[in-house]
Amino acid sequence: MNYLTVENISKSFGERVLFEDITLHINQGDKVALIAKNGAGKTSLLNLIAGLESPDSGNIWLHPNIETVFLSQEPNLDGNLTVFDAVYRSQNPVMKALAAYELSLLQHDDGESMQHAIDEMDRLNAWNYDVKVKQILSTLDVDYLERRVGSLSGGQRKRVALAKVLIDEPDFLIFDEPTNHLDLEMIEWLQGYIKQSKITLLTVTHDRYFLDAVCNQILELEHQQLYKYQGTYTEFLEKKAEREVNMAINLEKTKSLYKKELEWMRKQPQARGTKAKSRIDSFYDIEKKSKAKLNE
Protein backbone atom coordinates (compact mmCIF):
# COMPACT_ATOMS: atom_id res chain seq x y z
CA MET A 1 0.00 0.00 0.00
CA ASN A 2 1.29 3.43 -0.94
CA TYR A 3 1.41 5.78 2.07
CA LEU A 4 3.07 8.84 0.52
CA THR A 5 3.51 10.19 -2.99
CA VAL A 6 5.53 13.33 -3.66
CA GLU A 7 5.45 14.47 -7.29
CA ASN A 8 7.68 17.14 -8.85
CA ILE A 9 7.79 19.43 -5.84
CA SER A 10 10.08 22.46 -5.64
CA LYS A 11 10.91 24.80 -2.77
CA SER A 12 12.86 28.04 -2.66
CA PHE A 13 13.57 30.74 -0.10
CA GLY A 14 14.01 33.97 -1.98
CA GLU A 15 16.52 33.32 -4.75
CA ARG A 16 17.91 30.22 -3.02
CA VAL A 17 16.55 26.97 -4.47
CA LEU A 18 16.46 24.12 -1.93
CA PHE A 19 15.24 21.45 -4.31
CA GLU A 20 13.55 21.29 -7.68
CA ASP A 21 11.11 18.82 -9.28
CA ILE A 22 11.81 16.00 -6.82
CA THR A 23 9.63 12.90 -6.63
CA LEU A 24 9.46 10.10 -4.07
CA HIS A 25 7.17 7.29 -2.95
CA ILE A 26 6.96 5.59 0.44
CA ASN A 27 5.04 2.34 0.83
CA GLN A 28 3.76 0.49 3.86
CA GLY A 29 6.63 -1.11 5.78
CA ASP A 30 9.37 1.10 4.31
CA LYS A 31 11.90 2.52 6.74
CA VAL A 32 13.45 5.45 4.92
CA ALA A 33 16.25 7.84 5.86
CA LEU A 34 16.57 11.29 4.32
CA ILE A 35 20.15 12.56 4.38
CA ALA A 36 21.82 15.72 3.11
CA LYS A 37 24.33 18.36 4.09
CA ASN A 38 23.16 20.94 6.61
CA GLY A 39 21.07 23.63 4.94
CA ALA A 40 20.18 21.49 1.93
CA GLY A 41 16.49 21.39 2.86
CA LYS A 42 15.92 18.18 4.86
CA THR A 43 13.71 19.74 7.52
CA SER A 44 11.88 21.83 4.93
CA LEU A 45 11.03 18.66 3.01
CA LEU A 46 9.73 17.01 6.20
CA ASN A 47 7.63 20.10 6.94
CA LEU A 48 6.15 19.96 3.44
CA ILE A 49 5.25 16.29 3.80
CA ALA A 50 3.75 16.92 7.24
CA GLY A 51 1.64 19.76 5.83
CA LEU A 52 3.32 22.50 7.87
CA GLU A 53 4.53 24.30 4.74
CA SER A 54 3.44 24.39 1.10
CA PRO A 55 5.64 23.60 -1.92
CA ASP A 56 6.22 26.23 -4.61
CA SER A 57 5.06 23.67 -7.17
CA GLY A 58 4.15 20.01 -7.37
CA ASN A 59 1.84 17.78 -5.32
CA ILE A 60 2.02 15.83 -2.06
CA TRP A 61 -0.42 13.03 -1.30
CA LEU A 62 -0.71 11.26 2.06
CA HIS A 63 -3.00 8.25 2.41
CA PRO A 64 -6.15 9.62 4.10
CA ASN A 65 -6.97 6.43 6.02
CA ILE A 66 -3.74 6.06 7.97
CA GLU A 67 -2.51 7.82 11.10
CA THR A 68 0.55 9.96 10.36
CA VAL A 69 2.58 11.60 13.14
CA PHE A 70 5.44 14.07 12.74
CA LEU A 71 7.86 14.28 15.66
CA SER A 72 9.94 17.40 15.12
CA GLN A 73 13.17 18.37 16.87
CA GLU A 74 11.17 20.70 19.11
CA PRO A 75 7.90 18.85 19.92
CA ASN A 76 4.81 20.98 20.30
CA LEU A 77 3.43 19.90 23.68
CA ASP A 78 0.96 21.82 25.83
CA GLY A 79 3.02 23.18 28.71
CA ASN A 80 -0.02 23.29 31.00
CA LEU A 81 -0.59 19.54 30.83
CA THR A 82 0.91 17.12 33.30
CA VAL A 83 3.23 14.55 31.79
CA PHE A 84 0.61 11.94 32.68
CA ASP A 85 -2.03 13.73 30.59
CA ALA A 86 0.41 14.33 27.72
CA VAL A 87 1.23 10.62 27.55
CA TYR A 88 -2.07 8.95 28.39
CA ARG A 89 -4.61 11.30 26.79
CA SER A 90 -6.11 9.40 23.84
CA GLN A 91 -9.34 8.48 22.08
CA ASN A 92 -8.25 4.85 22.06
CA PRO A 93 -10.58 2.87 24.43
CA VAL A 94 -7.66 0.76 25.68
CA MET A 95 -5.63 3.88 26.53
CA LYS A 96 -8.66 5.43 28.21
CA ALA A 97 -9.05 2.36 30.42
CA LEU A 98 -5.32 2.32 31.12
CA ALA A 99 -5.34 6.04 31.98
CA ALA A 100 -8.21 5.52 34.45
CA TYR A 101 -6.37 2.62 36.07
CA GLU A 102 -3.06 4.48 36.33
CA LEU A 103 -4.80 7.58 37.68
CA SER A 104 -6.38 5.48 40.41
CA LEU A 105 -2.93 4.17 41.32
CA LEU A 106 -1.45 7.67 41.40
CA GLN A 107 -4.28 8.85 43.64
CA HIS A 108 -4.01 5.75 45.86
CA ASP A 109 -7.68 5.08 45.25
CA ASP A 110 -8.57 1.53 46.30
CA GLY A 111 -12.33 2.08 46.18
CA GLU A 112 -15.09 1.87 43.57
CA SER A 113 -13.26 3.80 40.82
CA MET A 114 -10.27 1.48 41.08
CA GLN A 115 -12.49 -1.59 40.79
CA HIS A 116 -14.26 -0.11 37.79
CA ALA A 117 -10.89 0.61 36.16
CA ILE A 118 -9.74 -2.97 36.76
CA ASP A 119 -12.99 -4.32 35.30
CA GLU A 120 -12.45 -2.20 32.15
CA MET A 121 -8.86 -3.40 31.87
CA ASP A 122 -10.11 -6.99 32.09
CA ARG A 123 -12.89 -6.40 29.57
CA LEU A 124 -10.55 -4.82 27.01
CA ASN A 125 -7.68 -7.23 27.73
CA ALA A 126 -5.48 -4.20 28.27
CA TRP A 127 -2.92 -5.66 30.68
CA ASN A 128 -0.37 -6.52 27.96
CA TYR A 129 -0.67 -2.97 26.65
CA ASP A 130 -0.03 -1.73 30.19
CA VAL A 131 3.24 -3.69 30.24
CA LYS A 132 4.26 -2.14 26.91
CA VAL A 133 3.50 1.41 28.07
CA LYS A 134 5.44 0.97 31.30
CA GLN A 135 8.42 -0.47 29.37
CA ILE A 136 8.52 2.54 27.05
CA LEU A 137 8.24 5.05 29.90
CA SER A 138 10.85 3.25 31.97
CA THR A 139 13.35 2.90 29.13
CA LEU A 140 13.05 6.60 28.26
CA ASP A 141 13.29 7.61 31.94
CA VAL A 142 9.88 9.28 31.91
CA ASP A 143 9.23 8.86 35.64
CA TYR A 144 7.90 12.35 36.40
CA LEU A 145 4.24 11.88 35.44
CA GLU A 146 2.89 14.45 37.93
CA ARG A 147 5.10 17.31 36.69
CA ARG A 148 3.88 19.96 34.26
CA VAL A 149 5.25 19.72 30.74
CA GLY A 150 6.19 23.40 30.89
CA SER A 151 8.60 22.72 33.75
CA LEU A 152 10.60 20.10 31.84
CA SER A 153 13.95 20.52 30.13
CA GLY A 154 14.18 20.26 26.35
CA GLY A 155 15.51 16.73 26.58
CA GLN A 156 12.73 15.64 28.93
CA ARG A 157 10.06 17.10 26.65
CA LYS A 158 11.59 15.28 23.67
CA ARG A 159 11.50 11.96 25.53
CA VAL A 160 7.89 12.54 26.62
CA ALA A 161 6.89 13.24 23.01
CA LEU A 162 8.81 10.18 21.81
CA ALA A 163 7.13 7.99 24.43
CA LYS A 164 3.71 9.28 23.36
CA VAL A 165 4.42 8.50 19.70
CA LEU A 166 5.63 4.98 20.41
CA ILE A 167 2.68 4.26 22.71
CA ASP A 168 0.16 5.47 20.12
CA GLU A 169 1.72 3.36 17.33
CA PRO A 170 0.89 5.50 14.26
CA ASP A 171 0.91 3.87 10.83
CA PHE A 172 3.41 6.36 9.40
CA LEU A 173 5.98 8.08 11.58
CA ILE A 174 8.05 11.08 10.44
CA PHE A 175 11.08 11.67 12.68
CA ASP A 176 13.41 14.67 12.75
CA GLU A 177 16.57 13.72 14.70
CA PRO A 178 14.90 11.07 16.92
CA THR A 179 18.06 10.17 18.86
CA ASN A 180 18.73 13.68 20.15
CA HIS A 181 18.61 13.77 23.99
CA LEU A 182 18.83 9.98 24.23
CA ASP A 183 21.69 8.10 25.85
CA LEU A 184 23.33 5.09 24.21
CA GLU A 185 21.15 2.53 25.98
CA MET A 186 17.98 4.38 24.92
CA ILE A 187 19.19 4.66 21.32
CA GLU A 188 19.97 0.96 21.07
CA TRP A 189 16.57 0.10 22.52
CA LEU A 190 14.83 2.50 20.10
CA GLN A 191 16.69 0.95 17.16
CA GLY A 192 15.48 -2.51 18.06
CA TYR A 193 11.95 -1.34 18.81
CA ILE A 194 11.46 0.44 15.48
CA LYS A 195 13.17 -2.27 13.45
CA GLN A 196 10.80 -4.91 14.83
CA SER A 197 7.66 -2.76 14.66
CA LYS A 198 5.25 -2.45 11.76
CA ILE A 199 5.62 1.33 11.73
CA THR A 200 6.44 2.88 8.35
CA LEU A 201 9.23 5.39 8.92
CA LEU A 202 10.71 8.50 7.32
CA THR A 203 13.55 9.95 9.37
CA VAL A 204 16.23 12.61 9.29
CA THR A 205 19.16 11.89 11.60
CA HIS A 206 22.91 12.38 11.78
CA ASP A 207 23.22 9.14 13.76
CA ARG A 208 24.82 6.82 11.19
CA TYR A 209 24.58 3.78 13.49
CA PHE A 210 20.84 4.35 13.83
CA LEU A 211 20.51 4.58 10.04
CA ASP A 212 22.46 1.37 9.52
CA ALA A 213 20.44 -0.52 12.14
CA VAL A 214 16.96 0.65 11.18
CA CYS A 215 16.61 1.89 7.60
CA ASN A 216 16.23 -0.18 4.42
CA GLN A 217 16.17 2.76 2.02
CA ILE A 218 18.23 5.96 1.79
CA LEU A 219 17.14 9.17 0.08
CA GLU A 220 19.95 11.65 -0.49
CA LEU A 221 19.13 15.29 -1.18
CA GLU A 222 22.06 16.74 -3.11
CA HIS A 223 22.48 19.48 -5.72
CA GLN A 224 18.72 20.22 -5.42
CA GLN A 225 17.90 16.68 -6.56
CA LEU A 226 16.87 13.48 -4.76
CA TYR A 227 18.75 10.20 -5.21
CA LYS A 228 17.27 6.90 -4.04
CA TYR A 229 19.27 3.92 -2.74
CA GLN A 230 17.95 0.56 -1.55
CA GLY A 231 19.74 -0.96 1.43
CA THR A 232 21.48 0.13 4.61
CA TYR A 233 23.58 3.24 5.17
CA THR A 234 26.78 1.25 4.64
CA GLU A 235 25.46 0.00 1.30
CA PHE A 236 24.45 3.56 0.44
CA LEU A 237 28.03 4.77 0.92
CA GLU A 238 29.26 2.15 -1.54
CA LYS A 239 26.59 2.94 -4.14
CA LYS A 240 27.12 6.70 -3.72
CA ALA A 241 30.84 6.26 -4.42
CA GLU A 242 29.98 4.36 -7.61
CA ARG A 243 27.52 7.08 -8.66
CA GLU A 244 30.09 9.83 -8.12
CA VAL A 245 32.68 7.99 -10.24
CA ASN A 246 30.14 7.65 -13.04
CA MET A 247 29.14 11.30 -12.67
CA ALA A 248 32.78 12.37 -12.93
CA ILE A 249 33.22 10.36 -16.13
CA ASN A 250 30.00 11.78 -17.62
CA LEU A 251 30.98 15.29 -16.58
CA GLU A 252 34.27 15.04 -18.48
CA LYS A 253 32.39 13.80 -21.55
CA THR A 254 29.92 16.66 -21.23
CA LYS A 255 32.71 19.23 -20.93
CA SER A 256 34.33 17.86 -24.07
CA LEU A 257 31.01 18.03 -25.93
CA TYR A 258 30.46 21.57 -24.60
CA LYS A 259 33.76 22.76 -26.11
CA LYS A 260 32.77 21.30 -29.46
CA GLU A 261 29.30 22.87 -29.41
CA LEU A 262 30.65 26.20 -28.19
CA GLU A 263 32.93 26.31 -31.23
CA TRP A 264 29.93 25.56 -33.46
CA MET A 265 27.89 28.32 -31.80
CA ARG A 266 30.60 30.89 -32.42
CA LYS A 267 30.78 30.00 -36.12
CA GLN A 268 27.06 30.05 -36.84
CA PRO A 269 25.47 32.94 -38.80
CA GLN A 270 22.47 34.76 -37.33
CA ALA A 271 19.95 33.07 -39.63
CA ARG A 272 19.38 29.54 -38.47
CA GLY A 273 16.93 26.82 -39.45
CA THR A 274 14.76 24.63 -37.25
CA LYS A 275 17.47 22.00 -36.78
CA ALA A 276 19.97 24.67 -35.81
CA LYS A 277 17.59 26.15 -33.25
CA SER A 278 17.12 22.71 -31.71
CA ARG A 279 20.88 22.34 -31.49
CA ILE A 280 21.13 25.77 -29.86
CA ASP A 281 18.58 24.77 -27.21
CA SER A 282 20.59 21.60 -26.60
CA PHE A 283 23.76 23.67 -26.28
CA TYR A 284 22.42 25.63 -23.30
CA ASP A 285 21.45 22.40 -21.57
CA ILE A 286 24.95 21.01 -22.19
CA GLU A 287 26.46 24.25 -20.92
CA LYS A 288 24.53 23.99 -17.66
CA LYS A 289 25.58 20.37 -17.14
CA SER A 290 29.21 21.04 -17.99
CA LYS A 291 29.43 23.66 -15.25
CA ALA A 292 27.99 21.36 -12.58
CA LYS A 293 30.16 20.39 -9.65
CA LEU A 294 30.29 17.02 -7.95
CA ASN A 295 30.80 18.60 -4.53
CA GLU A 296 29.54 22.02 -3.56
Side-chain angles (χ1 to χ4, degrees):
M1 180 189 296
N2 179 237
Y3 276 8
L4 169 70
T5 295
V6 173
E7 292 184 330
N8 305 119
I9 66 167
S10 302
K11 186 67 177 179
S12 301
F13 285 105
E15 296 183 357
R16 183 177 169 227
V17 178
L18 291 179
F19 41 82
E20 192 170 20
D21 293 328
I22 64 173
T23 293
L24 67 96
H25 303 274
I26 294 179
N27 297 321
Q28 183 178 13
D30 288 345
K31 290 181 169 58
V32 183
L34 173 64
I35 66 173
K37 294 179 180 178
N38 289 338
K42 299 186 298 294
T43 296
S44 292
L45 181 53
L46 292 190
N47 287 337
L48 292 174
I49 292 171
L52 302 179
E53 298 178 18
S54 298
D56 298 334
S57 61
N59 299 294
I60 298 174
W61 178 87
L62 265 173
H63 198 296
N65 297 326
I66 65 170
E67 182 184 4
T68 299
V69 173
F70 176 37
L71 183 59
S72 65
Q73 292 191 50
E74 300 295 334
N76 184 23
L77 297 174
D78 187 342
N80 294 317
L81 293 178
T82 63
V83 173
F84 178 89
D85 287 335
V87 170
Y88 281 88
R89 181 177 288 183
S90 174
Q91 296 302 312
N92 185 320
V94 174
M95 277 300 291
K96 283 186 175 182
L98 187 53
Y101 172 70
E102 291 296 330
L103 190 58
S104 294
L105 290 177
L106 287 173
Q107 295 175 346
H108 306 289
D109 182 358
D110 56 0
E112 184 177 336
S113 61
M114 169 62 83
Q115 187 57 53
H116 177 72
I118 292 174
D119 290 343
E120 278 295 286
M121 291 285 288
D122 288 338
R123 184 179 70 85
L124 295 169
N125 194 24
W127 297 107
N128 287 338
Y129 201 77
D130 180 45
V131 172
K132 170 194 165 180
V133 171
K134 284 185 169 59
Q135 180 198 29
I136 291 172
L137 294 176
S138 174
T139 303
L140 296 177
D141 284 345
V142 180
D143 55 1
Y144 32 82
L145 297 178
E146 298 182 17
R147 290 181 60 183
R148 296 283 174 185
V149 170
S151 71
L152 303 180
S153 68
Q156 289 172 325
R157 285 196 300 272
K158 183 65 176 284
R159 293 197 298 275
V160 169
L162 176 58
K164 173 65 173 172
V165 164
L166 297 179
I167 288 168
D168 287 348
E169 290 185 326
D171 301 294
F172 182 28
L173 177 56
I174 304 172
F175 261 158
D176 194 358
E177 299 293 352
T179 61
N180 283 3
H181 306 295
L182 302 184
D183 62 27
L184 181 59
E185 184 178 349
M186 293 177 185
I187 292 172
E188 290 179 346
W189 173 84
L190 181 62
Q191 289 173 181
Y193 187 92
I194 293 179
K195 188 173 183 178
Q196 295 173 14
S197 76
K198 296 180 180 179
I199 292 174
T200 298
L201 177 71
L202 172 61
T203 185
V204 165
T205 178
H206 288 87
D207 189 331
R208 305 314 191 196
Y209 295 103
F210 183 87
L211 292 179
D212 229 11
V214 172
C215 297
N216 55 25
Q217 187 181 134
I218 308 293
L219 298 176
E220 184 185 26
L221 185 59
E222 186 176 55
H223 307 313
Q224 304 168 359
Q225 298 298 309
L226 200 64
Y227 300 92
K228 179 179 177 180
Y229 303 84
Q230 291 291 342
T232 64
Y233 181 72
T234 298
E235 291 169 323
F236 150 74
L237 291 176
E238 295 170 356
K239 293 174 183 177
K240 175 181 170 67
E242 292 175 5
R243 177 176 68 84
E244 289 184 338
V245 168
N246 291 332
M247 286 180 64
I249 293 171
N250 290 333
L251 183 57
E252 286 304 311
K253 291 180 179 178
T254 301
K255 286 181 177 179
S256 177
L257 179 59
Y258 171 66
K259 290 179 181 178
K260 176 183 176 182
E261 292 300 288
L262 179 60
E263 184 178 351
W264 177 83
M265 285 284 289
R266 288 170 174 167
K267 291 180 178 178
Q268 288 303 298
Q270 291 300 315
R272 296 181 173 104
T274 302
K275 289 184 179 181
K277 289 181 180 179
S278 176
R279 188 171 177 180
I280 292 169
D281 291 339
S282 178
F283 165 80
Y284 289 114
D285 184 51
I286 293 169
E287 182 180 46
K288 180 179 178 181
K289 291 178 180 177
S290 72
K291 295 181 180 178
K293 296 180 181 179
L294 290 178
N295 297 294
E296 295 182 342

